[in-house]
């Protein structure tokens, strides 16, 4: 099996931009045999710092899944009503315009590679509901506009982020999973097969929302029951106040164990928890998006340590597929 990697979270360029350092990191990524491609962050341009550097350093046969969460969070810091689900029309339109820029970036990458290399684009249902009003109707209106564009072969999928709940301060605080699923299923009844919208579950964000490891499985089951489960990304979280922070969406590695040398002791994302999520999927080997996004602490960690954590995380998924799918 091969997986998508949210490599930007593991980058040694946590602050600032040193292209030589990033090149060394990418060269190590290219040597990993089980990377299908990158979950690539969209900030408003193809690459946050340098489109030409990115195009010159990527592996030609990698595939890509764009994620819009970095650019969305940046925009929310300046404009709290920004978002595809915003009831503020100017804020909603600003988010639609941002997505049109993402569409253009996908076209640029595909043109450079000479193929439809971008499998999907993950969108998120901002704004934060404790700071601005949002609704299913606004999200549906945004998606109806986006579906009129040529996405160059990329499928539009919602990545569920932690929804706003009364019990604790949110990280994202976006729409509830049930609201997102309702919009997706309603629109899918009107769409051709190649346009079908999907849902990606992020392990850490579902556990952050529910405060229960089982919450990730429940979200997978709900998306699957609605017929829209398209992906699963593993990114950890914990209640312990480590360098990653307690209850922070900091992409913790899996829990350290005899099999996971490069892990985080306090992480809730154990190997068994990851395997339980894969087992909850009817066909995990056929998911459009499957992979991991792992942050690294300390920020000064060497590239070798970063690659070790990535390798151990992907090996957890390999052990599942070797055991149950003979792969």
């Amino acid at each position: 099996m091969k997986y998508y990697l949210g490599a930007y979270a593991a980058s040694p360029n946590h602050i600032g931009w040193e292209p030589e350092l990033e090149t060394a990191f990418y060269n190590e990524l290219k040597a990993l045999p089980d990377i299908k491609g990158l979950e690539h962050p969209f900030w408003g341009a193809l690459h946050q710092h340098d489109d030409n550097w990115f195009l010159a350093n990527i592996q030609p046969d990698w595939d890509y899944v764009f994620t819009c969460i970095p650019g969305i969070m940046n925009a929310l810091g300046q404009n709290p009503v920004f978002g595809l689900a915003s009831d503020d029309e100017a804020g909603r339109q600003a988010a639609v315009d941002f997505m049109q820029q993402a569409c253009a970036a996908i076209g640029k990458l595909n043109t450079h590679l000479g193929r439809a290399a971008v499998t999907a684009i993950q969108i998120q249902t901002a704004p934060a509901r404790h700071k601005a009003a949002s609704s299913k109707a606004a999200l549906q209106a945004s998606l109806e506009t986006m579906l009129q564009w040529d996405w160059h072969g990329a499928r539009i999928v919602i990545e569920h982020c932690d929804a706003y709940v009364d019990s604790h301060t949110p990280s994202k605080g976006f729409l509830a999973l049930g609201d997102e699923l309702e919009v997706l299923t309603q629109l899918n009844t009107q769409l051709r097969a190649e346009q079908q919208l999907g849902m990606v579950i992020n392990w850490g964000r579902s556990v952050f929302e529910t405060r229960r490891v089982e919450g990730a499985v429940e979200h997978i089951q709900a998306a699957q029951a609605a017929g829209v489960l398209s992906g699963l990304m593993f990114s950890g979280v914990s209640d312990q106040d480590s360098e990653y922070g307690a209850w922070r969406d900091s992409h913790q590695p899996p829990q350290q164990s005899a099999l996971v040398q490069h892990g985080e002791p306090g992480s809730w994302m154990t190997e068994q928890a990851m395997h339980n999520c894969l087992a909850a999927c009817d066909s995990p080997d056929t998911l459009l998006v499957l992979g991991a996004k792992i942050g690294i602490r300390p920020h000064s960690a060497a590239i070798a340590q970063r690659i070790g954590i990535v390798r151990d995380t992907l090996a957890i998924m390999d052990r599942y597929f070797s055991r149950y799918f003979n792969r």
Side-chain angles (χ1 to χ4, degrees):
M1 284 290 293
K2 292 192 174 186
Y3 313 98
Y4 286 103
L5 177 68
Y8 71 98
S11 168
N13 276 299
H14 180 72
I15 299 174
W17 173 241
E18 296 182 41
E20 296 82 5
L21 186 62
E22 195 77 354
T23 296
F25 177 57
Y26 266 54
N27 286 341
E28 293 296 325
L29 293 177
K30 292 173 187 177
L32 295 175
D34 45 4
I35 291 184
K36 180 177 184 178
L38 301 182
E39 183 197 55
H40 181 62
F42 184 72
W43 292 84
L46 177 58
H47 189 267
Q48 182 185 7
H49 300 288
D50 188 339
D51 285 9
N52 292 331
W53 177 92
F54 180 70
L55 294 174
N57 282 275
I58 55 178
Q59 185 85 338
D61 61 354
W62 278 346
D63 291 329
Y64 300 85
V65 173
F66 275 41
T67 177
C68 296
I69 194 64
I72 287 173
M73 296 308 294
N74 184 60
L76 285 171
Q78 304 169 50
N79 178 12
V81 300
F82 176 95
L84 293 175
S86 180
D87 285 340
D88 180 275
E89 184 57 26
R92 189 183 73 82
Q93 188 58 53
V96 171
D97 292 344
F98 175 77
M99 292 301 164
Q100 197 157 39
Q101 294 168 350
C103 186
I106 288 172
K108 181 175 181 177
L109 179 55
N110 283 352
T111 297
H112 172 80
L113 294 170
R115 61 188 177 89
V118 183
T119 302
I121 178 168
Q122 295 179 144
I123 66 172
Q124 293 82 16
T125 59
R129 303 194 85 179
H130 58 300
K131 296 182 179 179
S134 62
S135 65
K136 293 180 291 184
L139 175 62
Q140 181 163 334
S142 297
L143 284 168
E144 286 171 346
T145 297
M146 292 167 59
L147 284 163
Q148 297 173 30
W149 308 338
D150 177 6
W151 284 95
H152 315 284
R155 287 266 304 278
I156 300 172
V157 296
I158 291 176
E159 181 194 36
H160 179 66
C161 297
D162 68 287
Y164 174 72
V165 294
D166 292 331
S167 58
H168 56 262
T169 302
S171 172
K172 305 295 186 289
F174 295 166
L175 282 183
L177 180 66
D179 290 343
E180 294 170 343
L181 293 175
E182 186 176 333
V183 172
L184 292 178
T185 53
Q186 183 169 334
L187 285 173
N188 278 349
T189 62
Q190 309 162 24
L191 297 173
R192 301 186 301 273
E194 64 271 16
Q195 283 187 303
Q196 291 288 295
L197 303 166
M199 170 69 71
V200 172
I201 300 300
N202 178 298
W203 192 95
R205 289 170 182 159
S206 290
V207 173
F208 184 102
E209 174 186 326
T210 62
R211 293 298 200 261
R212 296 164 46 252
V213 171
E214 296 80 11
V217 171
E218 292 164 2
H219 284 184
I220 289 168
Q221 292 171 333
Q224 195 160 245
V228 296
L229 181 65
S230 299
L232 174 60
M233 288 294 290
F234 287 106
S235 178
V237 73
S238 172
D239 63 343
Q240 295 188 24
D241 191 17
S242 67
E243 286 188 270
Y244 291 92
W247 293 121
R248 288 188 59 203
D249 186 14
S250 54
H251 317 304
Q252 284 194 31
Q255 188 179 110
Q256 192 173 36
S257 70
L259 291 174
V260 186
Q261 177 185 354
H262 301 282
E264 173 62 22
S267 175
W268 282 26
M269 193 170 71
T270 63
E271 178 157 339
Q272 187 60 56
M274 293 173 67
H275 286 190
N276 289 346
C277 285
L278 290 166
C281 304
D282 287 342
S283 302
D285 56 328
T286 64
L287 289 172
L288 184 68
V289 180
L290 177 62
K293 175 163 55 184
I294 299 301
I296 308 296
R297 303 292 186 276
H299 291 310
S300 59
I303 288 176
Q305 179 182 345
R306 297 171 186 278
I307 295 298
I309 293 173
V310 168
R311 185 184 291 112
D312 279 7
T313 303
L314 299 182
I316 291 174
M317 289 185 278
D318 273 344
R319 284 193 285 275
Y320 176 85
F321 286 108
S322 294
R323 187 177 306 164
Y324 298 105
F325 285 80
N326 296 317
R327 294 187 179 185

